[in-house]
């Protein structure tokens, strides 16, 4: 059973991190990142061809992370596989002892390193959550009996600061209806707004793990605003970093402030240290979380 | 209608050179390609001049009324039988369906001059937009007459996806998110919109699509006469 689930359901505050599988067959960097997260994270998300760019499979990498003793959150996008492949990989994940599953839509291939690729999107993320719920009940998505059920703690992505919120919230409710038990969010920017909306998500009966990002510098902010899908750094945050004497330390301070406030509201923090796991750990420590 | 776009002239030249063609015949389409301004009489005539300038001998030009209509196109080709008898290749200015109609009817090499882009609406003269994928499993009744399969760049039935920002699409940033539009319109019509749509049935879309009205009629006719037989 998922220890992430046990902790969240016991009301324990959790920390999750994120590790990208390698672009190639050499896993040493990825495994080093997994080990760096091990002392602070309760589970680590393993991304699935993130940014629509080619990486080693999330399934294999999730298994490797667990072999290192870190609980994995196996991510699947709807972009690269049809319903047969998605279900078949979920069954494989169960046999590998993976118990956390995060269903996401996936970026359009247009933004990735294989813009010529055919986008599959046979299912959307809500439908994929429904599929995982069925597999947990020992049924395939058509309701046919399977030989052995899975036991996934099913999660989804949420964007609490996105507008129009009523539409976003309806979408989150749809995912809860489909079987999502926890949400991992986009990076928090406006803590007050974020906190209000997290309460609305929790009222739906789901746990919320809030994204906290280490923005580092103006250069990173510009990269996020221009290259990363689904994320925009607002002016009130970017100008604080731009006008600081030490932009890096200012970005650490912002993340620490956010984490301290969020700690009282959310069920966990998803730390996004943009590759700098040591500073991610420092943020958690300074916020009194670890 | 089927929206087409011209291929690069050099690409078509390469097709012709690959079979060492010298004498060629050009066929346009009086239907969609005429409306799209890619394969009507003016475009085919202009192309003929370019082919002639490139050293090809133009044996003839014809504009088929509806190139994808087998009967009509065969009749047209029969009218031009003499010119076609001596050609090395035929270039067709229509969608892929029209090219295949011509290729079916002739034994010589037949080449496309256009790429078929999509099944599109004419927004205004010269501006076309894809609104239907002919998916065979229409959901418009549930989506306020806005097709998410076509109009959402990811083709998601349930949305918005995580990329929506201020109601706008992530993939085409100057466009409103299709799912936001659907939900707003359903709400304006006081219709329910909370429930997730089930995965689409792509099983209805077996390639190549084929419908025979004649066979349907015969089956229906056969069923009703045998019912009548039982009654009597």
């Amino acid at each position: 059973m998922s220890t992430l689930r046990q902790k969240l359901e016991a009301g324990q505050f959790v920390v999750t991190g994120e590790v990208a599988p390698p672009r190639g067959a050499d896993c040493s960097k990825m495994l080093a990142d997994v080990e760096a997260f091990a002392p602070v994270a309760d589970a680590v998300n393993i991304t699935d061809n993130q940014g629509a760019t080619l990486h080693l499979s999330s399934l294999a990498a999730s298994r490797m992370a667990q072999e290192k003793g870190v609980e994995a959150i196996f991510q699947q996008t709807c972009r690269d596989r049809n319903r047969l492949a998605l279900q078949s990989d979920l069954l494989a994940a169960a046999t590998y002892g993976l118990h956390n599953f995060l269903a996401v839509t996936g970026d359009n291939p247009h933004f990735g390193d294989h813009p010529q690729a055919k986008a599959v999107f046979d299912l959307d993320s809500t439908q994929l959550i429904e599929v995982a719920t069925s597999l947990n009940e020992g049924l395939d998505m058509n309701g046919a009996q399977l030989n052995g059920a899975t036991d996934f703690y099913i999660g989804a992505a949420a964007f609490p600061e996105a507008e129009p919120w009523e539409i976003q919230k309806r979408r989150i409710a749809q995912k809860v209806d489909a079987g999502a038990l926890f949400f991992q969010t986009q990076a928090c920017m406006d803590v007050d707004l974020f906190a209000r909306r997290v309460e609305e998500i929790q009222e739906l009966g789901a746990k919320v793990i809030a994204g906290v990002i280490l923005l580092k510098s103006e250069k990173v902010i510009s990269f996020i605003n221009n290259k990363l899908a689904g994320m925009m750094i607002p002016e009130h945050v970017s100008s604080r970093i731009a006008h600081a004497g030490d932009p890096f330390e200012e970005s650490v301070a912002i993340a620490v402030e956010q984490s301290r406030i969020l700690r009282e509201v959310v069920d966990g923090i998803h730390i996004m240290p943009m590759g700098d796991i040591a500073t991610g750990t420092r943020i958690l420590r300074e916020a009194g979380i670890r | 209608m089927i929206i087409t776009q011209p291929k690069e002239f050099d690409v078509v030249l390469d097709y012709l050179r690959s079979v060492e063609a010298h004498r060629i015949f050009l066929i346009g389409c009086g239907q969609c390609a005429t409306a799209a301004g890619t394969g009507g009489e003016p475009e085919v005539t202009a192309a003929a001049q370019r082919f002639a300038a490139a050293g090809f001998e133009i044996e003839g030009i014809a504009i088929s009324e509806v190139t994808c209509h087998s009967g009509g196109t065969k009749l047209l080709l029969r009218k031009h039988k003499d010119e076609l008898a001596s050609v090395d290749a035929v270039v067709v200015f229509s969608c892929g369906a029209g090219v295949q109609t011509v290729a079916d009817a002739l034994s010589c090499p037949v080449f496309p001059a256009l790429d078929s882009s999509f099944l599109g609406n004419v927004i205004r003269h010269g501006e076309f937009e894809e609104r239907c994928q002919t998916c065979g499993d229409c959901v418009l009744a549930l989506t306020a007459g806005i097709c998410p399969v076509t109009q959402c760049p990811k083709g998601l039935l349930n949305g918005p996806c995580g990329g929506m920002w201020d109601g706008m699409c992530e993939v085409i940033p100057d466009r409103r998110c299709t799912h936001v539009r659907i939900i707003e319109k359903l709400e304006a019509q006081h219709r329910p919109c909370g429930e997730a749509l089930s995965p689409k049935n792509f099983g209805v879309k077996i390639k190549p699509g084929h419908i025979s009205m004649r066979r349907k009629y015969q089956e229906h006719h056969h069923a009703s006469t045998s019912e009548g037989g039982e009654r009597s």
Side-chain angles (χ1 to χ4, degrees):
Chain A
M1 186 178 172
S2 156
T3 59
L4 180 69
R5 177 181 198 154
Q6 285 170 338
K7 287 174 185 171
L8 282 167
E9 287 180 354
Q12 235 174 291
F13 193 87
V14 301
V15 170
T16 57
E18 185 171 299
V19 166
R23 259 188 66 77
D26 177 0
C27 296
S28 50
K29 162 83 170 69
M30 178 195 85
L31 292 174
D33 286 351
V34 167
E35 283 183 339
F37 268 123
V40 288
D42 298 287
V44 171
N45 289 63
I46 309 290
T47 52
D48 177 16
N49 285 337
Q50 81 272 22
T53 56
L54 174 67
H55 289 78
L56 181 139
S57 96
S58 171
L59 181 59
S62 297
R63 182 182 181 170
M64 280 187 266
Q66 293 219 152
E67 283 168 357
K68 283 275 168 199
V70 177
E71 190 161 295
I73 300 173
F74 168 52
Q75 289 193 192
Q76 262 192 337
T77 74
C78 300
R79 179 195 54 239
D80 305 329
R81 281 173 290 266
N82 71 4
R83 60 190 81 185
L84 275 164
L86 289 166
Q87 291 181 95
S88 144
D89 280 358
L90 279 168
L91 293 176
T95 67
Y96 285 175
L98 303 174
H99 294 301
N100 304 304
F101 170 58
L102 189 87
V104 294
T105 307
D107 294 326
N108 198 293
H110 184 67
F111 297 122
D113 65 348
H114 287 63
Q116 311 83 353
K118 181 175 186 189
V120 179
F121 298 119
D122 185 18
L123 304 180
D124 59 50
S125 54
T126 310
Q127 293 164 348
L128 180 55
I129 293 163
E130 271 172 13
V131 167
T133 303
S134 295
L135 298 182
N136 277 353
E137 290 163 0
L139 303 169
D140 73 11
M141 67 178 283
N142 295 331
Q145 196 69 43
L146 292 169
N147 221 339
T150 59
D151 181 24
F152 291 117
Y153 185 43
I154 304 168
F159 196 172
E161 288 171 74
E163 303 291 348
W165 169 240
E166 281 313 311
I167 286 176
Q168 201 64 232
K169 190 185 164 187
R170 189 187 318 237
R171 176 94 173 113
I172 290 168
Q174 247 180 21
K175 290 180 180 180
V176 172
D177 286 345
L181 293 172
F182 72 96
F183 285 91
Q184 290 181 295
T185 76
Q186 288 282 25
C188 167
M189 292 296 148
D190 178 339
V191 185
D192 291 340
L193 178 69
F194 189 94
R196 284 199 301 278
R197 289 178 174 177
V198 162
E199 278 175 20
E200 291 184 52
I201 302 173
Q202 287 165 329
E203 278 165 16
L204 298 169
K207 302 289 182 187
V208 178
I209 303 173
V212 170
I213 194 168
L214 173 67
L215 289 168
K216 288 184 176 176
S217 65
E218 278 185 276
K219 205 174 141 200
V220 171
I221 291 172
S222 142
F223 170 79
I224 290 170
N225 286 345
N226 298 314
K227 300 274 180 198
L228 277 192
M231 212 156 131
M232 285 296 261
I233 310 302
E235 176 62 24
H236 68 90
V237 175
S238 57
S239 68
R240 240 185 96 173
I241 291 170
H243 298 117
D246 185 341
F248 185 84
E249 281 306 315
E250 189 64 22
S251 73
V252 173
I254 291 173
V256 171
E257 271 169 39
Q258 289 175 337
S259 302
R260 278 199 191 124
I261 301 169
L262 289 172
R263 205 187 159 185
E264 307 304 318
V265 187
V266 297
D267 302 289
I269 295 274
H270 181 67
I271 188 82
M272 304 152 100
M274 303 297 279
D276 185 350
I277 301 170
T279 306
T281 304
R282 192 185 130 202
I283 292 166
L284 295 167
R285 201 174 51 238
E286 288 182 16
I289 290 167
R290 282 290 184 269
Chain B
M1 65 182 217
I2 308 295
I3 310 303
T4 43
Q5 287 293 291
K7 282 180 177 286
E8 292 290 330
F9 189 65
D10 285 348
V11 171
V12 183
L13 287 185
D14 284 344
Y15 295 153
L16 293 170
R17 286 179 187 135
S18 73
V19 295
E20 291 167 17
H22 176 60
R23 281 198 280 259
I24 61 173
F25 192 94
L26 309 182
I27 296 175
C29 179
Q31 208 54 216
C32 309
T34 291
T38 52
E41 201 159 359
E43 296 81 27
V44 180
T45 309
Q49 287 167 1
R50 289 188 78 182
F51 283 120
F56 292 89
E57 214 165 289
I58 313 298
E59 292 295 313
I61 290 176
I63 309 296
S64 181
E65 202 177 322
V66 188
T67 315
C68 60
H69 189 290
S70 291
T73 297
K74 276 184 188 155
L75 202 63
L76 178 84
L77 296 174
R78 220 170 292 148
K79 278 188 203 156
H80 293 274
K81 168 161 93 13
D82 294 340
E83 297 124 283
L84 284 162
S86 59
V87 299
D88 303 314
V90 171
V91 181
V92 182
F93 293 73
S94 77
C95 70
V99 175
Q100 293 183 67
T101 311
V102 176
D104 273 351
L106 297 174
S107 52
C108 71
V110 172
F111 296 116
L114 309 178
D115 284 312
S116 309
S117 302
F118 50 84
L119 170 54
N121 288 20
V122 182
I123 306 300
R124 58 181 73 83
H125 181 70
E127 190 180 336
F128 314 106
E129 191 174 292
E130 186 175 25
R131 292 284 172 87
C132 174
Q133 305 240 298
T134 67
C135 72
D137 184 21
C138 190
V139 296
L140 286 169
L142 305 170
T143 57
I146 299 167
C147 176
V149 180
T150 311
Q151 299 215 45
C152 166
K154 293 178 180 174
L156 307 176
L157 285 185
N158 299 292
C161 74
M164 185 271 288
W165 186 261
D166 275 344
M168 303 303 276
C169 174
E170 156 192 54
V171 182
I172 311 170
D174 60 355
R175 205 182 143 95
R176 231 169 136 60
C177 165
T178 301
H179 290 281
V180 170
R181 286 173 52 217
I182 290 171
I183 293 164
E184 285 174 349
K185 191 150 185 194
L186 285 172
E187 277 178 344
Q189 294 172 351
H190 309 290
R191 293 168 68 190
C193 55
E195 215 159 293
L197 300 187
S198 300
K200 276 189 84 67
N201 178 9
F202 289 102
V204 295
K205 190 74 182 175
I206 294 171
K207 286 195 225 177
H210 183 249
I211 291 168
S212 169
M213 294 304 287
R214 186 178 294 175
R215 197 160 69 204
K216 276 190 179 171
Y217 171 77
Q218 282 168 348
E219 281 165 8
H220 178 76
H221 187 68
H222 179 74
S224 54
T225 50
S226 57
E227 270 170 32
E230 278 167 19
R231 268 201 296 276
S232 64

